[in-house]
Amino acid sequence: MSVFSPATPFASYIYRHFRSIHALKLALALFIAVIINAFWSQPHFVWSMVTIVIIMMSLPQVGGAIEKSMQRAVGTCIGSAYGVMLVLSFHNYWLIMGLLILGVSLICFMSAGRYSYAYLVAGFTIIIVIGDANHDTYEALWRTANILLGCFIAVLVSLFVFPIKAKQDWRCQLAQSTNILAVILDKHFTASMRAPFDARPELESAMKAVLTQKKLFFSLEWESKTLKQYKSVLTQLVNKQIRVITLMELLLQTRWSDEDSASYAKINQIASILQISLSELSEFLIGRRADFPVLPERMAISLHQQLLASLDRDEQQEFALTGYSWLIYQLAKTIESIYEEVDVINQAYERRR
């Protein structure tokens, strides 16, 4: 099923109430850990609960929980193995502590990018395991086991209990940003010189939706093979939306005098097709429109030619008018690019059917 297909009532319900559902899932995961401890009492049981909270509290999406669980599990195993090896192999306090510092420093040097959390976990696990170098590995191994148990419970609950999908959040954020931008264009094109439209709050909301899309990339990779293959397309979509926001900021700063208002009105009337194209794309993204909307052929070039043709000779020589037309042309080109990127993802899902 395409990521742009209409969401099921169940999926829509989960997305609308994801905060409450996420809190209940966290409570359920902790309760499972408590039940396990009640029937099989474990030393350092609290580490499983700490792990569940760390993994699940900030990452409601399935993909995010898997990503963080994997990094925590790998980091725990590496850190625990290194710490136990030092404790069992060496008996000199200063040598053990020196190798501890060396190991943590090396991890700090390597820690960067996508797997920085795994490095962080490995570093503090080494310190926890070695402790004061008293050669007691019993506690270290139980801490490791409880952390791995917490990872397992967190992933299990995230996957099978009211799963909150990053795919749904991503498409909604993409639809929200395009819808906000369509509304801004509509208000700008119909605003008068005496009552200019202040769209700063709306532009900030659109940018927030775009940045949220970017934060979901890692989670999307775990949830969808198709989106993982087209990660570069997702990145381009974010960049193109940011470009649209930048161009709109420039458009909104345009002011004209009474004698120029008729010329700008002609331009805005022709350019209203951009608002329509963004609205139609938003409807498709959210699942209210089944077929992918089609833009007029060579929309940007055709629109630019219409804009210039609508102006008389004197108007064409006015820098403000031609500059304003050029901004609209660049906006049209960027919207065309967004359509192309979305169509690439849509076609990829169509081929998988």
Side-chain angles (χ1 to χ4, degrees):
M1 185 173 70
S2 172
V3 68
F4 302 122
S5 299
T8 63
F10 179 68
S12 297
Y13 178 84
I14 290 177
Y15 184 74
R16 288 197 308 270
H17 305 283
F18 82 94
R19 291 184 182 276
S20 300
I21 291 173
H22 180 51
L24 291 173
K25 289 173 67 173
L26 176 60
L28 175 62
L30 292 173
F31 184 62
I32 291 173
V34 169
I35 291 176
I36 292 174
N37 185 66
F39 288 95
W40 179 38
S41 184
Q42 310 160 58
H44 304 290
F45 153 73
V46 70
W47 279 98
S48 62
M49 300 185 72
V50 170
T51 299
I52 290 169
V53 171
I54 290 174
I55 290 174
M56 295 187 65
M57 182 167 285
S58 60
L59 294 168
Q61 295 87 5
V62 170
I66 296 175
E67 168 87 11
K68 198 161 188 177
S69 295
M70 293 292 291
Q71 291 202 38
R72 188 170 179 86
V74 171
T76 298
C77 290
I78 292 174
S80 180
Y82 182 76
V84 170
M85 183 270 294
L86 291 184
V87 171
L88 294 179
S89 302
F90 303 100
H91 300 281
N92 183 280
Y93 172 82
W94 292 107
L95 179 58
I96 292 176
M97 287 303 174
L99 292 172
L100 179 152
I101 294 172
L102 178 63
V104 174
S105 299
L106 181 61
I107 287 172
C108 178
F109 176 77
M110 296 170 60
S111 177
R114 175 171 182 173
Y115 302 106
S116 58
Y117 180 68
Y119 289 113
L120 170 66
V121 173
F124 71 68
T125 301
I126 293 173
I127 297 173
I128 291 171
V129 168
I130 293 176
D132 57 358
N134 60 6
H135 296 80
D136 181 8
T137 59
Y138 175 80
E139 292 187 2
L141 294 175
W142 270 112
R143 286 194 183 102
T144 302
N146 277 290
I147 289 173
L148 296 178
L149 175 63
C151 291
F152 178 74
I153 294 173
V155 171
L156 197 68
V157 173
S158 296
L159 274 173
F160 299 109
V161 180
F162 298 109
I164 301 171
K165 296 296 184 70
K167 292 186 296 183
Q168 176 75 357
D169 195 8
W170 173 77
R171 67 179 287 191
C172 288
Q173 295 296 334
L174 180 56
Q176 181 179 348
S177 69
T178 53
N179 182 63
I180 291 173
L181 295 173
V183 171
I184 292 173
L185 271 184
D186 181 54
K187 291 183 178 180
H188 171 68
F189 288 151
T190 56
S192 66
M193 180 202 67
R194 300 184 183 280
F197 171 51
D198 182 11
R200 283 174 296 180
E202 286 82 356
L203 286 172
E204 290 174 2
S205 296
M207 182 61 76
K208 183 178 178 181
V210 173
L211 294 178
T212 300
Q213 295 168 42
K214 193 171 183 178
K215 292 177 182 177
L216 292 171
F217 283 179
F218 290 155
S219 298
L220 292 173
E221 288 185 31
W222 286 97
E223 292 184 12
S224 171
K225 292 181 179 179
T226 302
L227 293 179
K228 183 178 182 179
Q229 293 173 355
Y230 290 91
K231 185 178 178 180
S232 60
V233 177
L234 300 181
T235 302
Q236 286 299 317
L237 266 175
V238 166
N239 294 337
K240 298 295 172 56
Q241 291 172 82
I242 293 174
R243 178 168 172 77
V244 169
I245 292 172
T246 303
L247 290 169
M248 283 194 179
E249 286 179 325
L250 295 174
L251 278 178
L252 294 169
Q253 292 172 12
T254 305
R255 297 290 181 266
W256 50 85
S257 58
D258 284 331
E259 57 269 21
D260 295 325
S261 58
S263 300
Y264 280 98
K266 286 190 293 185
I267 294 176
N268 289 344
Q269 184 177 9
I270 296 171
S272 62
I273 188 175
L274 301 182
Q275 182 272 328
I276 296 172
S277 64
L278 284 174
S279 295
E280 291 179 346
L281 181 61
S282 178
E283 291 290 308
F284 171 76
L285 293 171
I286 204 63
R288 298 193 188 117
R289 178 184 178 130
D291 56 317
F292 184 74
V294 179
L295 290 175
E297 186 176 358
R298 301 175 72 241
M299 181 185 73
I301 294 293
S302 175
L303 178 61
H304 190 50
Q305 292 173 346
Q306 291 181 52
L307 293 174
L308 293 178
S310 68
L311 303 176
D312 59 34
R313 181 175 301 176
D314 293 335
E315 291 171 332
Q316 289 181 9
Q317 295 175 351
E318 186 177 340
F319 174 78
L321 287 171
T322 54
Y324 186 69
S325 301
W326 179 254
L327 280 177
I328 290 176
Y329 167 64
Q330 292 297 325
L331 185 58
K333 284 182 62 178
T334 310
I335 292 174
E336 276 186 329
S337 297
I338 290 176
Y339 262 74
E340 291 171 2
E341 306 293 358
V342 173
D343 192 36
V344 166
I345 296 175
N346 185 53
Q347 292 296 327
Y349 275 97
E350 291 290 335
R351 288 192 296 269
R352 291 177 64 90
R353 288 186 177 180

